[in-house]
Amino acid sequence: MDRFGDLDVFAHVVTTKSMSAAGRQLNLSPAVISKRIRRLEERLGVRLLQRTTRQLALTEAGQGFYERVVSILSSIEEAESWVSSGAGQVRGTLRVSAPTSFGRMHVAPHLKRFLDANPLVTVELVLSDAFVDVVGEGFDLAIRIADLQDSSLVAKRLARNHRVLCASPGYLAEHGTPADIAELSRHTLIAHNADHWRLDGPEGPVSVRVNGPLRTNSSEVVREALLGGVGIALRSTWDVGPELKSGALQRVLPAYAVGSRVAIYAVYPSRRHMEQKVRAFVDYLGELYGATPYWDAGLAL
């Protein structure tokens, strides 16, 4: 009985969310796919998938089984790659998820050096501001900017993430510069996916209600509105570092910023089964950003 083949079929069905799509990828008919999934469930004595006329969904047992199957198949792929390369050379397709702006500004420009150093690797970079399901959507790793102390995934800190209040000189000339945190309520604040800003200041944590005429889910809209003089925004230095250095933006209330627990992480399913391509990319980014990321160089933080 082809047990490993059944595991591969199961993984493809979960990733594609369709027996027909899995069949097309594996060059098997939907009937054969269905039969092999049923055979796998009978051998295990549990239902792995809930089937309806429109969709497939993992059961609780199926979710746990899938996470382990992915690790097993990844280990097999890594072993085969190591043997076929003759020296464990890094190879394969690396699926990476990253936040839209960060990926465009601080991942994409540095891919050439990584690809030149690893010519047998193909990078599939998917930019999205959503927290993707790394395992369920078949990603090898995701870059996240968050507080991940409670993450169920393995998380390696790549760099610190400073978030500061700032505005354009034009806006401040027209509306004045707030002298204390209470004065923010009299200013235009640009909202990005939040009704409140939670800041750390001299008196400890404070919460600021964001109640302005512009609300958006796009960090790039916030950036353009900020530079255009719409109001005050809370931005990461990786996003506005050059503008802060050039004077196109100015810090507001520099004693207040986001807590240090929020950082830039690489997250992936398992350290134990970490593939060479994942390790190489995580190490590359960690070295690239370093203890003081290049975007923070020259800023008084």
Side-chain angles (χ1 to χ4, degrees), residues 181-198:
I181 201 76
E183 286 192 16
L184 283 179
S185 63
R186 297 195 290 273
H187 282 266
T188 299
L189 308 182
I190 304 173
H192 177 217
N193 288 336
D195 295 326
H196 291 79
W197 291 336
R198 292 171 176 81

Side-chain angles (χ1 to χ4, degrees), residues 23-35:
R24 287 192 294 271
Q25 288 187 2
L26 297 171
N27 198 28
L28 297 171
S29 71
V32 170
I33 295 290
S34 178
K35 179 179 179 181

Side-chain angles (χ1 to χ4, degrees), residues 72-84:
I72 291 169
L73 294 176
S74 295
S75 295
I76 293 173
E77 180 184 351
E78 180 182 3
E80 290 178 344
S81 296
W82 186 88
V83 170
S84 62

Side-chain angles (χ1 to χ4, degrees), residues 46-48 58-66:
V46 296
R47 181 176 291 277
L48 301 172
L58 285 167
T59 63
E60 183 177 354
Q63 179 64 44
F65 185 65
Y66 175 69

Side-chain angles (χ1 to χ4, degrees), residues 42-94:
E42 289 174 354
R43 188 173 77 243
L44 296 173
V46 296
R47 181 176 291 277
L48 301 172
L49 296 168
Q50 295 287 2
R51 303 166 179 82
T52 68
T53 55
R54 293 189 176 185
Q55 64 180 3
L56 295 172
L58 285 167
T59 63
E60 183 177 354
Q63 179 64 44
F65 185 65
Y66 175 69
E67 292 173 1
R68 289 158 177 80
V69 165
V70 169
S71 293
I72 291 169
L73 294 176
S74 295
S75 295
I76 293 173
E77 180 184 351
E78 180 182 3
E80 290 178 344
S81 296
W82 186 88
V83 170
S84 62
S85 69
Q89 192 170 1
V90 180
R91 65 194 303 152
T93 298
L94 180 69

Side-chain angles (χ1 to χ4, degrees), residues 22-243:
R24 287 192 294 271
Q25 288 187 2
L26 297 171
N27 198 28
L28 297 171
S29 71
V32 170
I33 295 290
S34 178
K35 179 179 179 181
R36 294 185 69 164
I37 293 296
R38 187 166 59 250
R39 181 176 71 183
L40 179 62
E41 290 178 325
E42 289 174 354
R43 188 173 77 243
L44 296 173
V46 296
R47 181 176 291 277
L48 301 172
L49 296 168
Q50 295 287 2
R51 303 166 179 82
T52 68
T53 55
R54 293 189 176 185
Q55 64 180 3
L56 295 172
L58 285 167
T59 63
E60 183 177 354
Q63 179 64 44
F65 185 65
Y66 175 69
E67 292 173 1
R68 289 158 177 80
V69 165
V70 169
S71 293
I72 291 169
L73 294 176
S74 295
S75 295
I76 293 173
E77 180 184 351
E78 180 182 3
E80 290 178 344
S81 296
W82 186 88
V83 170
S84 62
S85 69
Q89 192 170 1
V90 180
R91 65 194 303 152
T93 298
L94 180 69
R95 294 197 75 224
V96 181
S97 169
T100 303
S101 295
F102 186 86
R104 177 178 59 81
M105 298 172 70
H106 301 293
V107 178
H110 306 292
L111 287 177
K112 183 180 184 302
R113 184 154 64 95
F114 176 78
L115 293 171
D116 286 348
N118 300 280
L120 299 181
V121 172
T122 299
V123 174
E124 181 181 340
L125 178 61
V126 178
L127 301 184
S128 171
D129 291 328
F131 267 32
V132 300
D133 179 352
V134 175
V135 174
E137 296 182 43
F139 286 98
D140 295 296
L141 72 124
I143 297 171
R144 290 185 177 166
I145 304 172
D147 175 6
L148 294 183
Q149 293 190 28
D150 296 325
S151 174
S152 60
L153 298 169
V154 179
K156 179 175 179 179
R157 189 176 184 272
L158 296 175
R160 61 188 183 182
N161 181 61
H162 284 292
R163 297 184 72 196
V164 299
L165 296 168
C166 53
S168 71
Y171 172 85
L172 296 176
E174 182 178 354
H175 299 280
T177 301
D180 56 48
I181 201 76
E183 286 192 16
L184 283 179
S185 63
R186 297 195 290 273
H187 282 266
T188 299
L189 308 182
I190 304 173
H192 177 217
N193 288 336
D195 295 326
H196 291 79
W197 291 336
R198 292 171 176 81
L199 307 171
D200 289 336
E203 69 274 33
V206 295
S207 179
V208 176
R209 180 172 175 77
V210 184
N211 188 19
L214 174 62
R215 310 181 68 81
T216 179
N217 68 338
S218 168
S219 62
E220 301 203 353
V221 169
V222 175
R223 174 187 171 83
E224 293 307 312
L226 179 63
L227 290 168
V230 170
I232 297 172
L234 181 64
R235 303 309 298 154
S236 294
T237 53
W238 59 257
D239 186 29
V240 296
E243 289 74 19

